[in-house]
């Protein structure tokens, strides 16, 4: 291998985005984007999953309806409606939902709602209507707890299960009962269930003659009047909290502050978190003149001030997802009032994204991916910002872009602002290889020159030019992020010996893997959703896809296609995994897509015989669109959501090579 690099001044223009934040919370170097997932909801307060293997996403609506969305679907249907029982408005309503760890076999789930009439908090058990667990049965309610509420606010609302020493316990977060400064000092009173975390073991035997729940023997105040259920004390309003699905399954809670500080606590058995004496890391103004914390006080992991319009923390989740959208083990949370999304990582708070949402909750799916719930009616998935291919302007959308071999020029239509950029870079015979090689979430202009086996590129992060000798004539460039460091690796497939050669960007090491044979078509993409490219080939001779999954190094083969087909890989269903897809040119041009979310096959007739497929996410919704470039006219035809709606635009001419055809997920 041979490397060379030099600065080329102002060869490339950049769009620089800056964020202004308070001194307490700095901007994060991590970039995320929000992929639209569900919309048209009515005051959604929570997104969660049943942990039953179905990959469904359930959404709690404040008015009393639980919605459910099937994997890959953008439409939610009713799972259960208990609206007549719910008093909704302000901080009251249907506030929490938790599925029993054995829901797949017993059909039991639990809710937290404000009771119509008196405004009391009700913790109740429900069951599905049959063994398919498709619908919840409103008539199956069994009430476990009723907790009177003295005021209309600080109801808490979140409930969730954790298995402790083999026992499935339900945790309940209760606010202090409302008003200001906790006038009844309920959060510190162990004879009152308000201002606490509670823990019980619900009965799921099916025998309603049994007690509705048992109290774990190691709860800290067992035997004290009115305190059996208490797990921890000193909370103001732990509206949203979660268990870390990794490690020891710690309980991370966002506790909403009063006038000065918003805090995040790790809740432990018997802990006292200070309210009303302490607010975050400070003594509550006007309550604690002596500034003496209560006995056994545990300070927050971190807190932040009410500056810049921040006023109410929305607790989130520790990220453990497969898609590498965020650093593993980082805690994601937000502020309801500003719509800001933050990350706590390496003992630092940082701003990830400033949104216009009133963030009522975060959510977690079965794969550990995180969602942002907007009270205005939206559920969006947090995604790594670089997921759109051929995205030269960094707006999360694929740009119309071509390389013109006759002149060695690139032309890019920036989707962010509609401007056109032209740049001379390359020569006749070069193969476009645009990818994000420097990890700045912008696609870099790049070519592979088969005559000398050299890769040439312009790094968008520092405007430098580089060249790397890696490959030889006859090699097929297959660049992509194989090592999961959010930077594309230089790679080639050599048909003559069926070998993949790769230069890993993470540690600059070389690797080779024999996989495939002459006649195979490389179809590299992230099929298993772990944030790494999987080595994959499509064999036209038998219509079979062969793959090595990077997640577990396993081998798979799937028959899908025919000898006349060409691969048309993309994540069409938006589940974070590439779908096997082919473009069939025998007769009419037909796209056949095997969706990874539900294994369904979708077939769409679209395009003309001489069109080039240019799959990409042109509208930024997190789902790839089927698209073609027509060289004879220079027109692009791209789908929107759903895939059967299409738009057209002229950009390019005959002989141009469309960049999105080469930049794969």
């Amino acid at each position: 291998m041979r490397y060379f690099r030099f600065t080329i001044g102002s060869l490339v223009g950049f769009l620089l985005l800056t964020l202004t934040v308070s001194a307490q919370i700095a901007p994060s170097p991590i970039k995320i984007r929000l992929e639209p997932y569900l919309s048209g909801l009515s005051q959604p307060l929570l997104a969660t999953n049943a942990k039953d293997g179905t990959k469904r996403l359930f959404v709690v609506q404040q008015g009393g309806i639980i919605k459910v969305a099937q994997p890959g679907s953008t439409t939610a249907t009713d799972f259960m409606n208990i609206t007549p029982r719910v008093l909704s408005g302000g901080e009251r309503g249907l506030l929490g939902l938790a599925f029993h760890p054995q829901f797949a076999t017993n059909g039991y789930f639990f809710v937290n709602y404000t009771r119509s009439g008196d405004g009391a908090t009700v913790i109740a058990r429900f069951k599905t209507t049959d063994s398919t667990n498709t619908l919840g049965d409103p008539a199956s309610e069994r009430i476990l707890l009723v907790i009177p509420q003295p005021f209309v606010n600080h109801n808490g609302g979140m409930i969730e299960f954790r298995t402790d020493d083999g026992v499935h316990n339900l945790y309940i977060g209760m606010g202090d009962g409302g008003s200001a400064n906790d006038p009844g000092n309920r959060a510190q009173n162990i004879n009152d269930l308000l201002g606490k975390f509670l823990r019980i073991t619900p009965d799921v035997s099916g025998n309603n003659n049994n007690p509705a729940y048992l109290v774990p023997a190691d709860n800290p105040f067992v035997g004290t009047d009115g305190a059996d259920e208490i797990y921890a004390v000193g909370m103001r309003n732990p509206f949203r909290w979660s268990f870390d699905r990794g490690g020891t399954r710690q309980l991370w809670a966002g506790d909403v502050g009063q006038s000065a500080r918003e805090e995040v606590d790790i809740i432990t058995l018997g802990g006292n978190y200070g309210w009303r004496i302490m607010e975050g890391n400070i003594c509550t103004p006007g309550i604690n003149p002596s500034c003496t914390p209560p006995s056994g006080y545990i300070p927050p992991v971190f807190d932040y001030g009410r500056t810049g319009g921040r006023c109410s923390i929305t607790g989130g989740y520790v990220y453990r997802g497969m898609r590498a959208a965020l650093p593993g083990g980082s805690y994601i949370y937000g502020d309801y009032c500003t719509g800001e999304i933050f990350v706590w990582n390496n003992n630092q708070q940082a701003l990830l994204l400033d949104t216009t949402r009133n963030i009522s909750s975060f959510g977690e799916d079965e794969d550990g991916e995180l969602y942002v719930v907007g009270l205005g009616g939206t559920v969006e998935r947090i995604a790594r910002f670089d997921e759109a291919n051929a995205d030269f302007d960094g707006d999360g959308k694929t740009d119309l872009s071509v390389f013109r071999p006759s002149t060695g020029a690139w032309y890019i239509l920036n989707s962010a602002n509609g401007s056109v950029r032209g740049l001379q870079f390359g020569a006749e015979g070069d193969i476009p290889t645009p990818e994000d090689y420097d990890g700045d979430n912008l696609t870099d202009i790049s070519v592979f020159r088969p005559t000398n086996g050299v890769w040439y590129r312009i790094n968008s992060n520092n405007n430098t030019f580089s060249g790397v000798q890696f490959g030889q004539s006859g090699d097929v460039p297959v660049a992509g992020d194989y090592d999961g460091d959010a930077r594309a690796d230089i790679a080639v497939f050599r048909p003559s010996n069926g070998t993949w050669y790769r230069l890993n960007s993470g540690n600059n090491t070389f690797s080779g893997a024999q996989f495939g044979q002459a006649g195979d078509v490389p179809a590299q993409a992230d099929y298993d959703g772990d944030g790494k490219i999987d080595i994959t080939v499509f064999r036209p001779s038998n219509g079979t896809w062969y793959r090595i999954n990077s997640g577990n190094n396993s081998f798979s083969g799937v028959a899908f296609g025919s000898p006349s087909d060409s691969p048309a890989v993309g994540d069409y269903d938006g589940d974070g995994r590439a779908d096997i897809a082919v473009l069939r040119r025998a007769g009419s041009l037909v796209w056949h897509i095997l969706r990874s979310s539900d294994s369904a096959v979708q077939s769409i007739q679209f395009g003309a015989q001489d069109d080039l497929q240019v799959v990409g996410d042109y509208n930024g919704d997190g789902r790839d669109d089927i698209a073609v470039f027509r060289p004879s006219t220079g027109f692009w035809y791209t789908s929107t959501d759903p895939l059967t709606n299409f738009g057209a635009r002229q950009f390019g001419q005959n002989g141009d090579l469309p960049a999105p055809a080469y930049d794969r997920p």
Side-chain angles (χ1 to χ4, degrees):
M1 291 173 288
R2 186 160 48 90
Y3 301 86
F4 43 94
R5 181 188 301 271
F6 58 89
T7 304
I8 56 172
S10 59
L11 190 59
V12 183
F14 296 91
L15 177 64
L16 299 178
L17 303 178
T18 60
L19 295 172
T20 302
V21 297
S22 68
Q24 292 92 337
I25 302 176
S28 171
I30 307 162
K31 284 190 175 182
I32 63 168
R33 63 188 177 101
L34 300 183
E35 295 179 347
Y37 197 82
L38 299 172
S39 60
L41 302 166
S42 176
Q43 294 183 302
L45 292 184
L46 177 68
T48 189
N49 71 89
K51 302 178 181 65
D52 62 349
T54 65
K55 303 295 182 75
R56 293 176 292 175
L57 195 71
F58 294 82
V59 179
V60 173
Q61 295 190 152
Q62 186 174 2
I65 298 176
I66 299 171
K67 293 281 192 177
V68 61
Q70 302 298 325
S73 174
T74 60
T75 303
T77 58
D78 285 3
F79 175 72
M80 189 176 74
N81 186 339
I82 57 169
T83 300
R85 304 173 203 184
V86 176
L87 177 61
S88 178
E91 297 181 16
R92 301 185 291 189
L94 179 57
L95 304 178
L97 168 66
F99 294 87
H100 191 269
Q102 295 171 330
F103 171 75
T105 55
N106 66 27
Y108 286 117
F109 60 99
F110 297 76
V111 301
N112 178 333
Y113 67 89
T114 309
R115 186 165 65 184
S116 180
D118 62 359
T121 289
V122 174
I123 309 298
R125 188 196 74 188
F126 288 86
K127 198 176 189 305
T128 52
T129 57
D130 59 34
S131 61
T132 65
N133 293 334
T134 302
L135 295 172
D137 182 5
S140 68
E141 181 177 24
R142 187 182 189 192
I143 294 176
L144 280 64
L145 278 171
V146 176
I147 303 173
Q149 291 285 354
F151 300 98
V152 300
N153 56 346
H154 302 182
N155 285 248
M158 188 79 180
I159 57 175
E160 187 56 89
F161 276 93
R162 183 173 72 180
T163 302
D164 304 318
D165 297 324
V167 179
H168 303 312
N169 290 322
L170 181 67
Y171 288 72
I172 304 161
M174 294 300 302
D176 65 8
S179 191
N181 289 320
D182 188 10
N185 197 26
R186 294 178 174 86
Q188 291 296 320
N189 180 2
I190 63 169
N191 303 115
D192 194 313
L193 297 184
L194 295 172
K196 314 294 193 303
F197 268 91
L198 312 180
R199 181 176 66 163
I200 61 177
T201 309
D203 175 60
V204 290
S205 67
N207 182 358
N208 285 351
N209 291 320
N210 289 339
Y213 66 88
L214 299 176
V215 173
D218 62 340
N219 274 6
F221 304 109
V222 169
T224 301
D225 184 38
D228 286 353
E229 295 87 355
I230 294 174
Y231 180 80
V233 306
M235 310 307 300
R236 183 176 181 272
N237 191 25
F239 175 63
R240 287 293 173 252
W241 48 269
S242 65
F243 291 111
D244 179 0
R245 62 163 54 194
T248 60
R249 295 215 66 200
Q250 287 181 314
L251 197 169
W252 290 71
D255 196 12
V256 179
Q258 178 163 278
S259 60
R261 309 296 294 177
E262 303 295 314
E263 68 180 270
V264 170
D265 303 289
I266 292 181
I267 308 300
T268 57
L269 181 69
N272 189 328
Y273 295 89
W275 180 254
R276 69 176 181 168
I277 300 171
M278 305 295 294
E279 183 181 355
N281 277 308
I282 68 171
C283 295
T284 305
I287 293 296
N288 186 15
S290 65
C291 204
T292 303
S295 176
Y297 169 63
I298 300 175
V301 178
F302 64 89
D303 65 356
Y304 66 86
R306 290 189 156 198
T307 58
R310 298 167 185 148
C311 76
S312 179
I313 190 169
T314 302
Y317 292 80
V318 175
Y319 181 71
R320 304 288 183 186
M322 297 175 58
R323 300 177 72 187
L326 295 155
S330 57
Y331 178 69
I332 310 303
Y333 61 104
D335 191 277
Y336 172 82
C337 299
T338 62
E340 293 169 302
I341 300 172
F342 305 109
V343 58
W344 170 260
N345 195 25
N346 298 322
N347 296 321
Q348 291 182 335
Q349 296 185 72
L351 175 64
L352 278 174
L353 190 67
D354 191 358
T355 79
T356 59
R357 305 284 184 262
N358 289 126
I359 301 174
S360 57
S361 182
F362 291 84
E364 186 180 49
D365 66 18
E366 285 195 55
D367 293 328
E369 299 306 326
L370 301 188
Y371 297 77
V372 177
V373 181
L375 188 63
T378 57
V379 175
E380 297 162 298
R381 182 166 53 197
I382 295 178
R384 205 165 69 181
F385 195 73
D386 61 350
E387 290 185 351
N389 62 337
D391 177 13
F392 295 92
D393 53 16
D395 67 347
K397 301 178 183 179
T398 298
D399 302 312
L400 305 188
S401 49
V402 297
F403 170 63
R404 190 163 294 165
S406 60
T407 60
W410 291 71
Y411 298 96
I412 300 167
L413 177 61
N414 293 308
S415 55
N417 56 18
S419 64
V420 176
R421 179 156 56 109
L423 175 69
Q424 190 165 2
F425 190 80
E428 186 80 39
D430 287 352
I431 301 173
T433 54
E435 286 278 0
D436 180 12
Y437 296 92
D438 52 21
D440 66 347
N441 302 307
L442 297 172
T443 298
D444 304 309
I445 290 175
S446 172
V447 297
F448 172 64
R449 189 161 294 167
T451 56
N452 59 6
V454 176
W455 297 67
Y456 301 98
R457 80 170 179 264
I458 299 172
N459 297 298
S460 56
N461 67 345
N462 59 9
N463 200 26
T464 59
F465 163 81
S466 65
V468 179
Q469 188 171 18
F470 192 82
Q472 63 185 35
S473 181
D475 287 351
V476 179
V478 288
D481 183 10
Y482 294 86
D483 54 13
D485 67 346
R487 293 181 294 167
D489 308 306
I490 290 174
V492 296
F493 170 64
R494 189 162 295 165
S496 60
N497 61 8
T499 302
W500 297 65
Y501 300 99
R502 184 170 82 241
L503 181 61
N504 297 299
S505 57
N507 55 15
N508 207 32
T509 59
F510 165 81
S511 63
Q514 190 168 11
F515 192 78
Q517 62 186 35
D520 288 351
V521 181
Q524 71 280 2
D526 181 11
Y527 294 90
D528 54 13
D530 67 346
K532 300 178 183 179
I533 295 295
D534 305 308
I535 293 176
T536 310
V537 296
F538 171 64
R539 189 163 294 166
S541 60
N542 61 8
T544 301
W545 297 66
Y546 299 100
R547 177 170 87 241
I548 300 176
N549 295 299
S550 56
N552 56 13
N553 208 33
S554 63
F555 166 81
S556 64
V558 178
F560 190 80
S562 64
S564 66
D565 295 346
S566 58
V569 181
D571 181 10
Y572 298 95
D573 53 15
D575 68 346
R577 296 175 293 167
D579 304 311
I580 290 174
V582 295
L583 185 57
R584 185 160 297 164
R585 296 180 182 272
S588 300
L589 209 64
V590 179
W591 301 66
H592 299 282
I593 301 168
L594 177 60
R595 296 199 302 251
S596 56
S597 59
D598 56 8
S599 298
V601 176
Q602 187 173 8
S603 298
I604 300 171
Q605 185 174 343
F606 178 72
Q609 281 296 327
D610 294 331
D611 290 349
L612 302 176
Q613 63 259 41
V614 285
V615 176
D617 184 5
Y618 292 89
N619 57 8
D621 66 352
R623 298 174 173 86
D624 277 322
D625 309 306
I626 64 174
V628 296
F629 171 67
R630 189 160 295 167
S632 60
T633 62
F635 265 91
W636 296 67
Y637 300 91
T638 60
S639 71
T640 56
D641 197 16
L643 293 177
T644 50
N645 295 332
F646 298 96
R649 180 152 188 179
Q650 188 172 19
F651 190 79
Q653 64 184 36
N654 200 5
D656 288 350
L657 302 178
Y662 298 89
D663 185 30
R664 292 302 181 197

